[in-house]
Amino acid sequence: MANPSQLGFQDASSPIMEELVEFHDHALMVALAICSLVLYLLALMLMEKLSSNTVDAQEVELIWTILPAIVLILLALPSLQILYMMDELDEPDLTLKAIGHQWYWTYEYTDFKDLAFDSYMIPTTELLPGHFRLLEVDHRLVIPMESPIRIIITADDVLHSWAVPTLGVKTDAIPGRLNQTSFITTRPGIFYGQCSEICGANHSYMPIVVESTPLIHFENWSSLLSS
């Protein structure tokens, strides 16, 4: 959950999000080094008298041609690694289906029989103490902790987007098409997200709440709900 005036990312709750935060910090350090070098050279050019060696130097031209290529490689390699990690789908322990509607979500646990429900935002007038306005729902998506989860995402009417920042997940829900993504939660907790695609007048009123619990608690919850 983000804090007021927070400048950085939310605390990562999945291995993918941890990698994304590390890559973000890596890219910022590279950008800081480039900006520092450019500012130093600009100051040097303004304060020092230009000489013929500075104006016509093939060695310098060679360096500023090769150096950007090396920088791009240093950025591209970890980026490609994360992309492949996000696309990998090793035998999931649980498969879910999320269907976007105007303006609520439907969740189906495909590995269970008759385990499905709609998830609506709780109106402000019905919130309990400690609940977050515009983020709390009547039925949370409950998943087991430290288990590979595959979620299949689609929409019933218009474009939606299933996004949970702390899990590093953001996948479009497109009518007539199935998109899939996967994640693993590394700790128990309640993680909040929202539809991230403008989908109509009440776009801001279809939040996503994922509750990560130990496996034994998930089994008790699923057996109680499906019975």
Side-chain angles (χ1 to χ4, degrees):
M1 183 67 189
N3 299 318
S5 304
Q6 180 175 336
L7 299 179
F9 291 103
Q10 299 180 28
D11 293 337
S13 301
S14 70
I16 291 296
M17 190 57 190
E18 292 174 1
E19 293 291 334
L20 289 172
V21 172
E22 289 182 5
F23 176 70
H24 169 266
D25 297 340
H26 168 69
L28 280 186
M29 292 305 296
V30 172
L32 178 62
I34 293 173
C35 293
S36 300
L37 178 61
V38 171
L39 288 175
Y40 171 74
L41 292 177
L42 285 174
L44 193 65
M45 297 287 283
L46 291 174
M47 293 185 296
E48 297 292 335
K49 184 178 180 180
L50 297 180
S51 64
S52 59
N53 293 332
T54 307
V55 175
D56 186 13
Q58 293 183 358
E59 294 81 2
V60 176
E61 293 179 0
L62 183 63
I63 291 174
W64 71 40
T65 301
I66 296 177
L67 192 59
I70 296 175
V71 171
L72 290 177
I73 292 174
L74 292 176
L75 291 175
L77 290 180
S79 176
L80 292 174
Q81 180 184 11
I82 295 175
L83 284 176
Y84 280 112
M85 289 176 59
M86 296 176 70
D87 284 338
E88 286 184 359
L89 286 174
D90 299 330
E91 301 180 359
D93 292 343
L94 180 66
T95 299
L96 308 172
K97 186 177 181 181
I99 306 173
H101 308 270
Q102 288 182 312
W103 288 271
Y104 64 96
W105 294 96
T106 296
Y107 297 111
E108 299 177 1
Y109 290 74
T110 58
D111 297 323
F112 295 83
K113 184 178 180 181
D114 298 330
L115 182 51
F117 53 83
D118 297 330
S119 180
Y120 289 87
M121 185 195 75
I122 298 179
T124 304
T125 55
E126 300 177 12
L127 288 175
L128 299 176
H131 284 180
F132 296 103
R133 177 178 172 270
L134 300 182
L135 288 178
E136 200 61 59
V137 296
D138 55 357
H139 293 95
R140 296 171 176 172
L141 179 65
V142 181
I143 58 173
M145 181 183 66
E146 297 180 339
S147 299
I149 307 296
R150 174 175 60 189
I151 180 165
I152 300 172
I153 301 168
T154 187
D156 186 52
D157 36 44
V158 299
L159 289 176
H160 300 279
S161 184
W162 200 85
V164 183
T166 188
L167 298 178
V169 176
K170 182 180 184 297
T171 304
D172 288 343
I174 303 173
R177 177 174 177 176
L178 297 177
N179 291 330
Q180 68 177 5
T181 187
S182 62
F183 58 86
I184 301 174
T185 57
T186 55
R187 59 187 174 92
I190 300 173
F191 313 124
Y192 294 90
Q194 288 179 303
C195 175
S196 297
E197 188 74 40
I198 297 178
C199 55
N202 292 332
H203 157 67
S204 57
Y205 302 121
M206 50 182 306
I208 301 162
V209 182
V210 178
E211 183 175 350
S212 174
T213 64
L215 180 59
I216 184 64
H217 294 168
F218 172 78
E219 292 176 346
N220 294 335
W221 172 86
S222 59
S223 61
L224 180 64
L225 201 63
S226 58
S227 59

